[in-house]
Amino acid sequence: MAVDNRAPDWLNDFVDTQGLEPIADRYVLKNDALGTRVKYSDRLVDSVLLQREALWLSKVALLDIDTHRCIRFEKDGNRAALVTDYISGQSLSEIIRSFKGGLSSNSRFEHLVLLLIEQVAAIHRVGIIHGDIKPSNVLMKRDGGVCLIDFSNARKVGEPWVEREVSQSTQSFMYPRHREQASQLHDYYALMMTMSLMIGDLTPCHFDSCNEWMQQLVSRCDQLNFGLNLQHQLRNIIAQLSEDIL
């Protein structure tokens, strides 16, 4: 069944809905003529997360992080709308679906992995943990670049995950060892899970089989004959995860 993603009538109280049309995600609209994107919600928790995303987008804009730019945010009770610029491209999840056997057969696969690692490293250098890395939150831009989107669960290193009784996580990408404070390891784990999906032929990781999964990942990366730079970065990430988890 198709999802009805037309702008609700109440959204007119927050933004001009003329020219807005739905895009792939529910509760997300775009205006091609203005080059803007509108995310909206009429549920309290989701509206709080939109408010958090607006705040974080304002912060990362000052740090030269490549992602959406916050234009304005409006909230009234349970309803909220976040207006950003629109970045043309495809989510990594859409690209993975188009390569049913995995992206590893694509000639640009190694380049994409390197760009993704660089983006994660860039936010870590300024002390930010994204907190929700997954294919749908990785945007492959039309110009060939890569950027992370949806900073609604972002934290500074060491900050608690639960804030105002709200915590957001995607179960299958959630770090298997419980930690109350944000750490680079959370992003590294989600990054390796994302890479597993990009490869396409790895057994999905379960919390009780992390060791086997990481050994599989190392072995598969060796088979793909990555360049020395990428091999070194991947082994370093996996070594840090192994040391902490096992």
Side-chain angles (χ1 to χ4, degrees):
M1 184 187 306
V3 176
D4 184 0
N5 198 22
R6 291 172 297 181
D9 292 338
W10 62 261
L11 193 58
N12 283 291
D13 296 334
F14 293 86
V15 297
D16 181 3
T17 60
Q18 185 174 358
L20 286 175
E21 59 183 34
I23 55 179
D25 297 322
R26 194 176 182 186
Y27 305 120
V28 185
L29 306 164
K30 68 172 180 176
N31 185 316
D32 281 328
L34 297 178
T36 57
R37 181 192 70 157
V38 177
K39 295 177 71 174
Y40 64 93
S41 174
D42 57 4
R43 296 180 295 184
L44 178 59
V45 172
D46 290 339
S47 293
V48 170
L49 291 173
L50 277 184
Q51 187 172 20
R52 282 188 48 80
E53 183 176 1
L55 176 62
W56 272 102
L57 289 182
S58 298
K59 290 180 179 180
V60 299
L62 301 175
L63 299 170
D64 198 29
I65 301 298
D66 188 11
T67 189
H68 291 290
R69 178 176 56 88
C70 179
I71 297 174
R72 58 187 284 220
F73 174 76
E74 301 286 346
K75 185 175 183 296
D76 182 13
N78 291 354
R79 294 173 172 175
L82 169 63
V83 183
T84 72
D85 60 340
Y86 177 69
I87 302 176
S88 183
Q90 275 187 301
S91 71
L92 182 55
S93 58
E94 292 175 298
I95 295 174
I96 289 173
R97 284 195 295 270
S98 68
F99 287 85
K100 295 182 179 180
L103 273 169
S104 55
S105 60
N106 186 289
S107 59
R108 296 188 67 243
F109 177 68
E110 181 173 348
H111 179 64
L112 295 180
V113 176
L114 276 169
L115 289 177
L116 181 52
I117 292 175
E118 288 173 4
Q119 287 300 308
V120 175
I123 64 172
H124 287 180
R125 281 195 294 270
V126 293
I128 296 174
I129 307 301
H130 183 277
D132 197 22
I133 293 175
K134 56 185 177 181
S136 60
N137 284 340
V138 177
L139 186 64
M140 318 302 294
K141 300 192 299 182
R142 289 280 177 85
D143 64 6
V146 172
C147 67
L148 295 171
I149 62 174
D150 194 349
F151 279 74
S152 59
N153 200 44
R155 300 288 190 278
K156 291 182 179 178
V157 174
E159 283 187 336
W161 282 117
V162 178
E163 181 181 2
R164 297 180 184 178
E165 300 183 356
V166 174
S167 179
Q168 175 193 20
S169 61
T170 303
Q171 187 70 27
S172 56
F173 293 84
M174 189 168 63
Y175 195 60
R177 182 175 179 180
H178 176 69
R179 286 180 178 272
E180 293 183 355
Q181 286 79 36
S183 161
Q184 290 93 337
L185 294 172
H186 293 91
D187 280 351
Y188 287 154
Y189 179 81
L191 178 62
M192 292 298 96
M193 283 295 298
T194 296
M195 186 174 167
S196 294
L197 293 174
M198 291 171 71
I199 292 173
D201 56 3
L202 283 176
T203 303
C205 178
H206 299 287
F207 293 170
D208 57 354
S209 61
C210 282
N211 185 37
E212 179 183 353
W213 168 70
M214 283 190 282
Q215 288 177 351
Q216 281 185 321
L217 186 55
V218 170
S219 175
R220 191 67 181 90
C221 289
D222 287 343
Q223 295 171 19
L224 290 171
N225 295 317
F226 288 139
L228 292 177
N229 178 31
L230 181 53
Q231 285 187 38
H232 173 74
Q233 292 190 63
L234 289 173
R235 287 185 176 278
N236 182 48
I237 291 172
I238 293 170
Q240 291 183 62
L241 292 171
S242 299
E243 183 179 354
D244 188 68
I245 294 173
L246 305 179

